[in-house]
Structures are given as C-alpha cells and as structure tokens.
Amino acid sequence: MTSSSRHGVIPMTGLPADYRAFHELYRAIYVHWAEFFLGNRHDAEEAVDQAFEELYIAWAEVLSQESPRAYAWAVVRHRTIDCARARKRRPTVVDTAAFETTALRNAVDPIGELEHSLSVFEAIHALPERQHDVIVLLHCMGHTTNEVADIMGITPGGVRSAARFARHRLRQSLGFDRDTSAREGGERT
C-alpha cells in the first residue's frame, strides 16, 4: 500500500500500524472533502497527502492530543486552504455546489433559484470555521451527525450545537429572521 505525495510515493509498509490504520480510515473522506473545495481531484489528493506527511512527521504529537482526529482535521483543512491559495483561487464550494442543487434542476425560475443558491453558499462560506465545516459535511456532502463527529474529532453534541448556531447565523444573514419577525409582527397587529 502506498500514498502519493508531492515528493513521489510514500511506501505505507514500515510505517506505524496506527498511522496506517488512520490513513486507511480517513484519507478517502479527506480527499472527498478537499475535492469539494478545490474542484479538482489531483489538487485534493495533493493537499491531503501533504497533510498526511505532516501528520506522520508529528505522529507522536498527534497521538498525544486530546482528540487526534480533531488535530488531523485541522491539518487537512489548513493544507486544503494552502493549496487553494497556492493556486491563487478561493475554495470552489460556492461555485460548484450552487449549480448542483436539486432545487435548481427542478426550478420554475432557474435564474432566481441560482441567485438564491449562490446567496446560501456565500453565507455558508462566511460562517466561522467549525460551523462552516459542520454545515458542509452535513448538508452539502450528506454525512450523518455521528459521521461528522468522527471526521472532525468532536462529539455528536458538538456537531448538533455547531449546526444549530450555523443555521441561526444563516437565517440571519439570508434575512429569514427578518421575514419571520415581520410576519409574526404583522399577525399580532
């Protein structure tokens, strides 16, 4: 078993068993997430392989963390962002996801739906890091709460909390709270 990297191929034989197991469990998930943001499988693999190189070099420190998975998630996230910056482009979640929604394919007004989708994905992009990742993993990539908790190295309660705060912020930034308040205010009068 090998892993590609910017320096060639890293032989997985001879590496610590716990590192190999971690690599086997999470590499495909990390690559899928990075591809979602970078819009390119090759770039995603490169970013994730750089992250795994970094994790291997610091493996003893990774294992000493309260949550090695949270540490690893942060490394993968940062290598993905670094890859996007190195290519002088921003992550593409907004660009690709807005065009791939079921709502857009079934819309009576595709342009209006596209504008709405772009607004939603721009609002997601503006969320704090943890809330952003939770929303993307849950709603854009279709993972369950327990899967997101496992991937990010946080508790299921932490995922639910981040999702709740993120949905609140999204409602505010998209003006849904104002619409609800206006309707509720109008009904009272």
Side-chain angles (χ1 to χ4, degrees), residues 88-179:
K88 295 182 177 34
R89 63 180 188 234
R90 57 184 264 168
T92 60
V93 66
V94 170
D95 302 329
T96 59
F99 291 99
E100 296 174 358
T101 64
T102 302
L104 183 60
R105 287 190 296 274
N106 298 329
V108 172
D109 175 15
I111 300 301
E113 185 61 40
L114 177 60
E115 288 173 351
H116 175 70
S117 293
L118 288 171
S119 296
V120 168
F121 286 105
E122 285 291 341
I124 290 170
H125 185 68
L127 289 171
E129 187 174 295
R130 178 174 282 193
Q131 292 175 21
H132 172 273
D133 292 349
V134 164
I135 291 297
V136 168
L137 287 164
L138 281 172
H139 299 292
C140 299
M141 298 180 73
H143 291 285
T144 67
T145 298
N146 288 339
E147 289 169 340
V148 173
D150 183 59
I151 292 165
M152 292 181 65
I154 60 178
T155 65
V159 171
R160 287 188 293 276
S161 177
R164 183 175 56 255
F165 284 112
R167 285 191 297 271
H168 177 73
R169 287 180 76 123
L170 290 171
R171 280 192 301 275
Q172 285 181 322
S173 67
L174 295 169
F176 294 139
D177 279 352
R178 288 186 298 274
D179 293 345

Side-chain angles (χ1 to χ4, degrees), residues 50-119:
Q50 287 174 7
F52 270 105
E53 285 180 23
E54 187 174 329
L55 291 169
Y56 174 70
I57 291 167
W59 192 240
E61 181 183 345
V62 172
L63 293 177
S64 72
Q65 299 297 311
E66 182 178 332
S67 175
R69 289 172 292 141
Y71 185 95
W73 178 254
V75 170
V76 168
R77 188 178 208 293
H78 292 130
R79 287 313 127 249
T80 301
I81 291 168
D82 289 348
C83 184
R85 286 182 183 143
R87 283 149 180 80
K88 295 182 177 34
R89 63 180 188 234
R90 57 184 264 168
T92 60
V93 66
V94 170
D95 302 329
T96 59
F99 291 99
E100 296 174 358
T101 64
T102 302
L104 183 60
R105 287 190 296 274
N106 298 329
V108 172
D109 175 15
I111 300 301
E113 185 61 40
L114 177 60
E115 288 173 351
H116 175 70
S117 293
L118 288 171
S119 296

Side-chain angles (χ1 to χ4, degrees), residues 14-77:
L15 296 177
D18 49 3
Y19 174 84
R20 288 193 322 264
F22 188 85
H23 182 275
E24 187 174 317
L25 280 171
Y26 293 100
R27 185 178 184 277
I29 294 167
Y30 292 165
V31 168
H32 184 232
W33 183 82
E35 184 177 10
F36 194 78
F37 279 87
L38 296 171
N40 179 296
R41 177 76 177 196
H42 180 269
D43 290 348
E45 288 180 345
E46 182 177 326
V48 170
D49 288 341
Q50 287 174 7
F52 270 105
E53 285 180 23
E54 187 174 329
L55 291 169
Y56 174 70
I57 291 167
W59 192 240
E61 181 183 345
V62 172
L63 293 177
S64 72
Q65 299 297 311
E66 182 178 332
S67 175
R69 289 172 292 141
Y71 185 95
W73 178 254
V75 170
V76 168
R77 188 178 208 293

